[in-house]
């Protein structure tokens, strides 16, 4: 489905570069099959605009699919005005979309939960997305997590969750009834942000009070510091995830 945006508007060197990597990820991980109906998560952040824009592009090898863009408003702005620019963009470009108003952000930051809002926030948001997915008859959910998100999640899970895991490019859930896909898996955040600027997407400011102090921000800053001495640090971590030497990890009992 191509929208009102003309191909000429998009056709830059960076667009072609990112689309190549999008198609490669989709094909490598068999993310999309003929007739799939995708729910595309659109937070209003740069990454989500880029995902929507790239998926709405002519692709040679990717089977035909349809989609609906879904925004979950977390309720940080009680006047619900923050997402007006996003809604305008979706309407102007003829995207089928749903703007879902919630109070998830407020609940996650309530007095009894304020020590770890991200955990509850993610759970509630995911639950709401599953409900909308079912109501819309979608069989796949596309999230805009890119390469840097995947690297950071690995470190978050190791540092705080005591496990070696991350977000995978294609995740099967509910016994295969639903899949989560991450078509930006190969893309560096820097280029995703650059493309967002190039296309002047109307990015919505993140109103979450935790967004500047989360574990993810801490890890991002840590990696940025380490990259000053070793510019390959992110590359190395990303590649290490597909080069696991299980025999050289500890066979410790779970009780330790
Ligand atoms: S940073 Fe804010 S919006 Fe993001 S998961 Fe945490 S609480 Fe939710």
């Amino acid at each position: 489905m191509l929208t009102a945006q003309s191909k000429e508007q998009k056709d830059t060197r960076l667009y072609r570069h990112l689309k190549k990597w999008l198609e490669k990820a989709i094909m490598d991980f068999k993310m999309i099959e003929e007739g799939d109906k995708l729910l595309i998560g659109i937070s209003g952040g740069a990454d989500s605009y880029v995902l929507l824009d790239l998926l709405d592009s002519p692709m040679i090898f990717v089977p035909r699919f349809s989609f609906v863009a879904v925004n979950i408003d977390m309720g940080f702005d009680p006047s619900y005005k923050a997402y007006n620019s996003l809604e305008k963009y979706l309407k102007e470009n003829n995207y089928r979309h749903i703007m879902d108003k919630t109070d998830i952000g407020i609940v996650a930051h309530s007095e009894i939960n304020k020590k770890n809002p991200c955990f509850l926030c993610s759970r509630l948001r995911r639950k709401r997305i599953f409900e909308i997915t079912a109501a819309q008859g979608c069989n796949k959910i596309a999230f805009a997590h890119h390469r840097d998100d995947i690297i950071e999640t690995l470190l978050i899970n190791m540092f705080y969750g005591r496990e070696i895991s991350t977000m995978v490019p294609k995740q099967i859930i509910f016994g295969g009834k639903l899949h989560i896909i991450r078509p930006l898996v190969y893309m560096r955040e820097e280029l995703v942000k650059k493309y967002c600027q190039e296309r002047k997407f109307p990015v919505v400011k993140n109103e979450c009070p935790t967004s500047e102090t989360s574990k993810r921000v801490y890890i991002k800053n840590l990696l940025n510091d380490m990259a000053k001495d070793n510019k390959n640090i992110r590359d190395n971590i990303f590649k290490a995830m597909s080069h696991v030497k299980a025999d050289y990890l500890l066979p410790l009992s779970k009780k330790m």
Side-chain angles (χ1 to χ4, degrees):
M1 177 177 97
L2 253 186
T3 64
Q5 301 172 78
S6 71
K7 185 172 180 296
E8 293 71 35
Q9 260 180 306
K10 286 188 177 191
D11 203 7
T12 62
R13 204 166 148 207
L14 180 56
Y15 163 71
R16 289 194 296 276
H17 174 81
L18 293 180
K19 193 164 80 80
K20 181 184 81 184
W21 286 105
L22 178 96
E23 287 193 71
K24 180 165 170 46
I26 291 173
M27 301 313 285
D28 281 358
F29 298 103
K30 297 184 177 53
M31 289 184 187
I32 295 178
E33 289 151 303
E34 186 77 29
D36 274 349
K37 190 168 177 193
L38 269 55
L39 180 151
I40 302 179
I42 176 123
S43 64
D47 311 343
S48 65
Y49 276 109
V50 173
L51 174 69
L52 180 63
D53 182 84
L54 292 177
L55 281 175
D56 178 36
S57 301
M59 287 185 266
I60 299 169
F61 300 110
V62 175
R64 276 173 303 171
F65 63 95
S66 58
F67 64 81
V68 54
V70 174
N71 171 259
I72 307 286
D73 184 330
M74 308 294 282
F76 290 118
D77 170 12
S79 68
Y80 289 126
K81 284 197 177 136
Y83 292 95
N84 285 356
S85 56
L86 168 63
E87 190 167 19
K88 184 165 173 271
Y89 173 85
L90 294 171
K91 279 184 183 160
E92 281 175 0
N93 287 286
N94 300 322
Y95 285 122
R96 211 161 78 70
H97 66 277
I98 294 172
M99 304 295 290
D100 190 59
K101 312 290 183 201
T102 76
D103 60 357
I104 290 172
I106 310 299
V107 173
H109 288 83
S110 61
E111 202 53 40
I112 46 164
N113 189 60
K114 66 179 181 189
K115 275 197 178 157
N116 188 8
C118 293
F119 180 73
L120 184 61
C121 175
S122 308
R123 272 187 76 159
L124 294 175
R125 194 168 32 177
R126 191 168 271 233
K127 182 170 171 283
R128 188 65 197 124
I129 288 203
F130 288 157
E131 286 166 358
I132 299 172
T133 306
Q136 292 294 312
C138 297
N139 64 329
K140 288 185 180 156
I141 302 171
F143 285 137
H145 299 122
H146 45 61
R147 197 169 178 274
D148 292 63
D149 288 323
I150 284 162
I151 293 164
E152 288 155 18
T153 302
L154 174 78
L155 298 186
I156 291 170
N157 291 353
M158 283 174 67
F159 291 6
Y160 304 103
R162 299 182 176 188
E163 62 178 48
I164 300 179
S165 66
T166 189
M167 299 183 287
V168 290
K170 183 180 174 186
Q171 188 178 353
I172 300 169
I173 44 178
F174 302 140
K177 285 191 191 133
L178 197 59
H179 290 77
I180 291 176
I181 59 170
R182 298 187 166 93
L184 307 189
V185 60
Y186 290 142
M187 293 179 204
R188 286 192 285 131
E189 181 175 19
E190 188 191 343
L191 291 185
V192 172
K193 298 280 190 277
K194 196 170 167 195
Y195 183 61
C196 177
Q197 282 171 4
E198 184 175 292
R199 295 297 312 283
K200 301 187 175 61
F201 295 131
V203 172
V204 178
K205 185 175 171 288
N206 188 351
E207 304 275 352
C208 174
T210 310
S211 63
E212 294 304 316
T213 56
S214 66
K215 293 184 176 85
R216 187 165 297 279
V217 172
Y218 171 75
I219 296 288
K220 197 182 280 294
N221 291 339
L222 190 67
L223 286 167
N224 286 343
D225 276 351
M226 293 169 88
K228 287 175 194 159
D229 291 328
N230 176 2
K231 65 180 173 47
N232 296 323
I233 189 102
R234 284 186 167 86
D235 255 1
N236 291 349
I237 297 173
F238 191 73
K239 286 183 183 143
M241 280 186 264
S242 49
H243 190 214
V244 177
K245 294 187 172 178
D247 290 347
Y248 287 83
L249 292 173
L250 298 184
L252 290 178
S253 117
K254 284 192 172 174
K255 283 182 187 153
M256 281 196 73

